[in-house]
Amino acid sequence: MSERVSALRNRETGGSVQVRDAGLRGMITLRGDLSNGKLASVVKSVTGLKLPACNGVVQDGDTGIAWMSPDELLVMVAYDDVPEALDKIAKALSGQHHLAVNVSDARSVMLLQGSFVREVVAKLAPVDLHPDVWQPGQIIRSRLGQVAAAFWLVDEATVQVICFRSVADYAFDLLAASAKAGPVGHFARGT
Amino acid sequence: MLILNCPYCGRDVDETDLHAGGEAHLKRFGPGSSDDEFEHYLFMRENPKGVHFERWRHVYGCGKWFLAARNTATLQVYGTYSAQTTEPPQHILDAIKEAQA
Ligand SMILES: [Zn+2]
């Protein structure tokens, strides 16, 4: 059997905002009617969590659900639990219009931790990340530099970032450079 | 710099996170239509200096297509609305009227 490795192979930086590879994570792109009760209940049985609201993320450790669009969720489970989860979803939604795909090896997950994480991301993305707009539990899909990325605040000192595997090194280097350059002090609070 | 509110995810989105899709509310002429109709559908556009209805896609975000009413001369945005609309909704028309009053 081939060795399964994350794109970033446990890379990490030091400094007052640390950037590190979150390692292998099971990720399922689930598209369908989010108001369908069967969809909500199978996602709950897989993750133990309730569906997040629009632009929301709910998380319990490495398990979680991210709202990606009005008809798309990213369901996160342990890497090895994906086949079983896909099985459950296929059974629960059989005959109903939906799509569930294992994207675990097509994405890369990074963790940022430190005092000015908000600014590390804000320097790279064309979105308003002011504390009034972006709070813990809210996912934003936008860009980091030149590549698509999704990121959310876990708490004021922790951000999780997901990008495509093929651009993982670029995104990591970008975040590391932004962290190394230090805080800007732009946000009045919560930086 | 253009910022549009995406009606599907509700976020204020920078132009660089969007993909422009040209004029909105075109009626499609496909197989069975006359050459003139097909040419008009494919190539002829209003391209006004002033109020314009456009298609945009929140390409780096939720991925949805939506429609926007804005002024091509002043860049004022009158509003954004669902792509499942065949003509500008009343609240958009009202906003344009108000801006021009
Ligand atoms: Zn959107």
Side-chain angles (χ1 to χ4, degrees), chain A residues 63-135:
Chain A
T63 302
I65 313 167
W67 188 96
M68 303 298 270
S69 96
D71 56 5
E72 180 180 340
L73 300 173
L74 185 72
V75 179
M76 294 172 276
V77 295
Y79 186 86
D80 292 324
D81 293 348
V82 171
E84 194 192 328
L86 281 174
D87 240 30
K88 274 191 183 172
I89 293 168
K91 281 200 187 91
L93 299 179
S94 101
Q96 299 189 47
H97 186 63
H98 77 285
L99 175 84
V101 181
N102 182 354
V103 295
S104 311
D105 296 316
R107 304 282 183 275
S108 180
V109 188
M110 279 160 268
L111 279 168
L112 313 181
Q113 227 149 11
S115 54
F116 59 99
V117 273
R118 192 182 280 276
E119 288 203 332
V120 169
V121 182
K123 283 190 274 181
L124 305 171
V127 280
D128 186 1
L129 299 184
H130 190 276
D132 288 349
V133 181
W134 192 38
Q135 280 143 12

Side-chain angles (χ1 to χ4, degrees), chain B residues 6 8-10 58 61-63:
Chain B
C6 171
Y8 290 92
C9 66
H58 189 186
C62 71

